[in-house]
mmCIF file of all heavy atoms in Angstrom:
data_model
loop_
_atom_site.group_PDB
_atom_site.id
_atom_site.type_symbol
_atom_site.label_atom_id
_atom_site.label_comp_id
_atom_site.label_asym_id
_atom_site.label_seq_id
_atom_site.Cartn_x
_atom_site.Cartn_y
_atom_site.Cartn_z
ATOM 1 N N ILE B 337 111.558 107.806 117.301
ATOM 2 C CA ILE B 337 111.671 108.785 116.254
ATOM 3 C C ILE B 337 112.725 109.808 116.424
ATOM 4 O O ILE B 337 113.402 110.355 115.639
ATOM 5 C CB ILE B 337 110.408 109.405 116.003
ATOM 6 C CG1 ILE B 337 109.292 108.370 115.477
ATOM 7 C CG2 ILE B 337 110.379 110.637 115.034
ATOM 8 C CD1 ILE B 337 107.925 108.965 115.416
ATOM 9 N N ALA B 338 112.912 110.066 117.869
ATOM 10 C CA ALA B 338 113.726 111.272 118.234
ATOM 11 C C ALA B 338 115.131 111.047 118.119
ATOM 12 O O ALA B 338 115.618 109.936 118.425
ATOM 13 C CB ALA B 338 113.256 111.764 119.606
ATOM 14 N N ASP B 339 115.938 112.192 118.112
ATOM 15 C CA ASP B 339 117.374 112.189 118.257
ATOM 16 C C ASP B 339 117.768 112.634 119.694
ATOM 17 O O ASP B 339 118.767 112.180 120.235
ATOM 18 C CB ASP B 339 118.041 113.073 117.277
ATOM 19 C CG ASP B 339 117.758 112.775 115.826
ATOM 20 O OD1 ASP B 339 118.189 111.576 115.412
ATOM 21 O OD2 ASP B 339 117.062 113.474 115.135
ATOM 22 N N ILE B 340 117.018 113.614 120.168
ATOM 23 C CA ILE B 340 117.211 114.178 121.461
ATOM 24 C C ILE B 340 115.819 114.190 122.259
ATOM 25 O O ILE B 340 114.827 114.439 121.667
ATOM 26 C CB ILE B 340 117.635 115.677 121.284
ATOM 27 C CG1 ILE B 340 118.936 115.711 120.415
ATOM 28 C CG2 ILE B 340 117.815 116.327 122.696
ATOM 29 C CD1 ILE B 340 119.298 117.161 120.096
ATOM 30 N N ILE B 341 116.034 113.777 123.569
ATOM 31 C CA ILE B 341 114.867 113.903 124.440
ATOM 32 C C ILE B 341 115.092 114.968 125.516
ATOM 33 O O ILE B 341 116.061 115.069 126.112
ATOM 34 C CB ILE B 341 114.488 112.510 125.085
ATOM 35 C CG1 ILE B 341 114.087 111.514 123.914
ATOM 36 C CG2 ILE B 341 113.382 112.709 126.109
ATOM 37 C CD1 ILE B 341 113.865 110.117 124.521
ATOM 38 N N TYR B 342 114.041 115.797 125.633
ATOM 39 C CA TYR B 342 114.065 116.707 126.710
ATOM 40 C C TYR B 342 112.985 116.269 127.766
ATOM 41 O O TYR B 342 111.917 115.939 127.284
ATOM 42 C CB TYR B 342 113.767 118.152 126.307
ATOM 43 C CG TYR B 342 114.509 118.778 125.341
ATOM 44 C CD1 TYR B 342 114.140 118.686 123.861
ATOM 45 C CD2 TYR B 342 115.683 119.442 125.659
ATOM 46 C CE1 TYR B 342 114.988 119.185 122.902
ATOM 47 C CE2 TYR B 342 116.499 119.891 124.598
ATOM 48 C CZ TYR B 342 116.161 119.770 123.356
ATOM 49 O OH TYR B 342 116.998 120.317 122.320
ATOM 50 N N CYS B 343 113.388 116.117 129.056
ATOM 51 C CA CYS B 343 112.426 115.538 130.001
ATOM 52 C C CYS B 343 112.809 116.060 131.403
ATOM 53 O O CYS B 343 113.855 116.493 131.555
ATOM 54 C CB CYS B 343 112.368 114.132 129.985
ATOM 55 S SG CYS B 343 113.818 113.355 130.483
ATOM 56 N N ASP B 344 111.848 115.860 132.240
ATOM 57 C CA ASP B 344 112.250 116.105 133.686
ATOM 58 C C ASP B 344 112.244 114.687 134.294
ATOM 59 O O ASP B 344 111.118 114.105 134.446
ATOM 60 C CB ASP B 344 111.138 117.035 134.343
ATOM 61 C CG ASP B 344 111.302 117.114 135.788
ATOM 62 O OD1 ASP B 344 112.363 116.655 136.341
ATOM 63 O OD2 ASP B 344 110.568 118.056 136.407
ATOM 64 N N SER B 345 113.294 114.196 134.684
ATOM 65 C CA SER B 345 113.415 112.780 135.144
ATOM 66 C C SER B 345 112.445 112.652 136.382
ATOM 67 O O SER B 345 111.982 111.566 136.702
ATOM 68 C CB SER B 345 114.842 112.319 135.484
ATOM 69 O OG SER B 345 115.518 113.339 136.236
ATOM 70 N N VAL B 346 112.192 113.741 137.037
ATOM 71 C CA VAL B 346 111.256 113.564 138.271
ATOM 72 C C VAL B 346 109.928 113.236 137.777
ATOM 73 O O VAL B 346 109.118 112.476 138.485
ATOM 74 C CB VAL B 346 111.188 114.852 139.134
ATOM 75 C CG1 VAL B 346 110.220 114.964 140.107
ATOM 76 C CG2 VAL B 346 112.606 115.156 139.634
ATOM 77 N N GLU B 347 109.596 113.552 136.530
ATOM 78 C CA GLU B 347 108.138 113.342 136.212
ATOM 79 C C GLU B 347 108.050 111.973 135.451
ATOM 80 O O GLU B 347 106.991 111.626 135.136
ATOM 81 C CB GLU B 347 107.811 114.503 135.225
ATOM 82 C CG GLU B 347 107.507 115.735 136.106
ATOM 83 C CD GLU B 347 106.744 116.773 135.249
ATOM 84 O OE1 GLU B 347 106.803 116.751 134.000
ATOM 85 O OE2 GLU B 347 106.157 117.611 135.925
ATOM 86 N N LEU B 348 109.195 111.268 135.168
ATOM 87 C CA LEU B 348 109.092 109.901 134.653
ATOM 88 C C LEU B 348 108.637 108.993 135.681
ATOM 89 O O LEU B 348 109.198 109.074 136.845
ATOM 90 C CB LEU B 348 110.504 109.610 133.990
ATOM 91 C CG LEU B 348 110.919 110.493 132.849
ATOM 92 C CD1 LEU B 348 112.362 109.972 132.494
ATOM 93 C CD2 LEU B 348 110.070 110.348 131.658
ATOM 94 N N GLN B 349 107.786 108.062 135.384
ATOM 95 C CA GLN B 349 107.355 107.113 136.338
ATOM 96 C C GLN B 349 108.406 106.410 137.092
ATOM 97 O O GLN B 349 108.456 106.292 138.245
ATOM 98 C CB GLN B 349 106.277 106.157 135.850
ATOM 99 C CG GLN B 349 104.894 106.808 135.656
ATOM 100 C CD GLN B 349 104.033 105.723 135.115
ATOM 101 O OE1 GLN B 349 104.251 104.683 134.666
ATOM 102 N NE2 GLN B 349 102.686 106.204 135.051
ATOM 103 N N GLY B 350 109.342 105.894 136.262
ATOM 104 C CA GLY B 350 110.461 105.192 136.805
ATOM 105 C C GLY B 350 111.750 106.052 137.160
ATOM 106 O O GLY B 350 112.794 105.525 137.454
ATOM 107 N N GLY B 351 111.561 107.315 137.248
ATOM 108 C CA GLY B 351 112.618 108.269 137.728
ATOM 109 C C GLY B 351 113.876 107.986 136.799
ATOM 110 O O GLY B 351 113.867 107.889 135.567
ATOM 111 N N VAL B 352 114.990 107.882 137.544
ATOM 112 C CA VAL B 352 116.318 107.786 136.784
ATOM 113 C C VAL B 352 116.390 106.571 135.907
ATOM 114 O O VAL B 352 117.091 106.528 134.980
ATOM 115 C CB VAL B 352 117.543 107.828 137.835
ATOM 116 C CG1 VAL B 352 117.730 109.338 138.305
ATOM 117 C CG2 VAL B 352 117.457 106.873 138.887
ATOM 118 N N ARG B 353 115.778 105.480 136.366
ATOM 119 C CA ARG B 353 115.839 104.259 135.581
ATOM 120 C C ARG B 353 115.106 104.440 134.263
ATOM 121 O O ARG B 353 115.597 103.966 133.170
ATOM 122 C CB ARG B 353 115.185 103.113 136.422
ATOM 123 C CG ARG B 353 116.328 102.444 137.276
ATOM 124 C CD ARG B 353 115.784 101.394 138.091
ATOM 125 N NE ARG B 353 115.053 101.895 139.251
ATOM 126 C CZ ARG B 353 114.758 101.213 140.325
ATOM 127 N NH1 ARG B 353 115.184 99.902 140.405
ATOM 128 N NH2 ARG B 353 114.152 101.675 141.326
ATOM 129 N N ASP B 354 113.953 105.227 134.242
ATOM 130 C CA ASP B 354 113.286 105.419 132.878
ATOM 131 C C ASP B 354 114.288 106.272 132.083
ATOM 132 O O ASP B 354 114.283 106.166 130.980
ATOM 133 C CB ASP B 354 111.983 106.109 133.190
ATOM 134 C CG ASP B 354 110.813 105.052 133.314
ATOM 135 O OD1 ASP B 354 111.130 103.920 133.315
ATOM 136 O OD2 ASP B 354 109.666 105.553 133.374
ATOM 137 N N ALA B 355 114.851 107.208 132.745
ATOM 138 C CA ALA B 355 115.799 108.174 132.017
ATOM 139 C C ALA B 355 116.886 107.385 131.308
ATOM 140 O O ALA B 355 117.155 107.600 130.214
ATOM 141 C CB ALA B 355 116.237 109.253 132.944
ATOM 142 N N LEU B 356 117.436 106.459 132.035
ATOM 143 C CA LEU B 356 118.559 105.667 131.507
ATOM 144 C C LEU B 356 118.055 104.805 130.395
ATOM 145 O O LEU B 356 118.672 104.624 129.338
ATOM 146 C CB LEU B 356 119.113 104.764 132.667
ATOM 147 C CG LEU B 356 120.243 104.025 132.260
ATOM 148 C CD1 LEU B 356 121.547 104.957 131.932
ATOM 149 C CD2 LEU B 356 120.772 103.005 133.390
ATOM 150 N N ARG B 357 116.859 104.217 130.499
ATOM 151 C CA ARG B 357 116.344 103.471 129.491
ATOM 152 C C ARG B 357 116.079 104.225 128.106
ATOM 153 O O ARG B 357 116.431 103.865 127.078
ATOM 154 C CB ARG B 357 114.890 102.789 129.916
ATOM 155 C CG ARG B 357 114.193 101.874 128.875
ATOM 156 C CD ARG B 357 113.006 101.299 129.577
ATOM 157 N NE ARG B 357 112.023 102.336 129.857
ATOM 158 C CZ ARG B 357 111.272 102.956 129.064
ATOM 159 N NH1 ARG B 357 111.311 102.643 127.765
ATOM 160 N NH2 ARG B 357 110.239 103.877 129.485
ATOM 161 N N LEU B 358 115.573 105.403 128.341
ATOM 162 C CA LEU B 358 115.340 106.351 127.147
ATOM 163 C C LEU B 358 116.658 106.726 126.565
ATOM 164 O O LEU B 358 116.733 106.945 125.307
ATOM 165 C CB LEU B 358 114.587 107.548 127.496
ATOM 166 C CG LEU B 358 113.107 107.340 127.979
ATOM 167 C CD1 LEU B 358 112.422 108.599 128.419
ATOM 168 C CD2 LEU B 358 112.344 106.811 126.786
ATOM 169 N N LEU B 359 117.613 106.921 127.390
ATOM 170 C CA LEU B 359 119.028 107.278 126.974
ATOM 171 C C LEU B 359 119.575 106.332 125.919
ATOM 172 O O LEU B 359 120.310 106.669 125.050
ATOM 173 C CB LEU B 359 120.023 107.580 128.114
ATOM 174 C CG LEU B 359 121.290 108.110 127.791
ATOM 175 C CD1 LEU B 359 121.251 109.416 127.111
ATOM 176 C CD2 LEU B 359 122.188 108.195 128.998
ATOM 177 N N GLY B 360 119.181 105.063 126.106
ATOM 178 C CA GLY B 360 119.656 104.072 125.235
ATOM 179 C C GLY B 360 119.103 104.157 123.767
ATOM 180 O O GLY B 360 119.472 103.527 122.867
ATOM 181 N N LYS B 361 118.008 104.946 123.657
ATOM 182 C CA LYS B 361 117.312 105.070 122.436
ATOM 183 C C LYS B 361 117.696 106.212 121.570
ATOM 184 O O LYS B 361 117.371 106.376 120.404
ATOM 185 C CB LYS B 361 115.785 105.066 122.630
ATOM 186 C CG LYS B 361 115.219 103.909 123.387
ATOM 187 C CD LYS B 361 113.743 103.985 123.686
ATOM 188 C CE LYS B 361 112.964 103.082 122.734
ATOM 189 N NZ LYS B 361 111.577 103.292 122.918
ATOM 190 N N VAL B 362 118.273 107.186 122.190
ATOM 191 C CA VAL B 362 118.564 108.478 121.559
ATOM 192 C C VAL B 362 120.071 108.924 121.695
ATOM 193 O O VAL B 362 120.815 108.271 122.431
ATOM 194 C CB VAL B 362 117.623 109.625 121.998
ATOM 195 C CG1 VAL B 362 116.207 109.370 121.632
ATOM 196 C CG2 VAL B 362 117.822 109.759 123.494
#
Side-chain angles (χ1 to χ4, degrees):
Chain B
I337 295 171
D339 302 294
I340 302 169
I341 294 179
Y342 303 94
C343 65
D344 177 356
S345 51
V346 169
E347 291 191 334
L348 298 174
Q349 278 184 350
V352 288
R353 272 177 281 200
D354 268 5
L356 187 64
R357 184 177 56 79
L358 292 175
L359 185 59
K361 301 176 108 183
V362 292

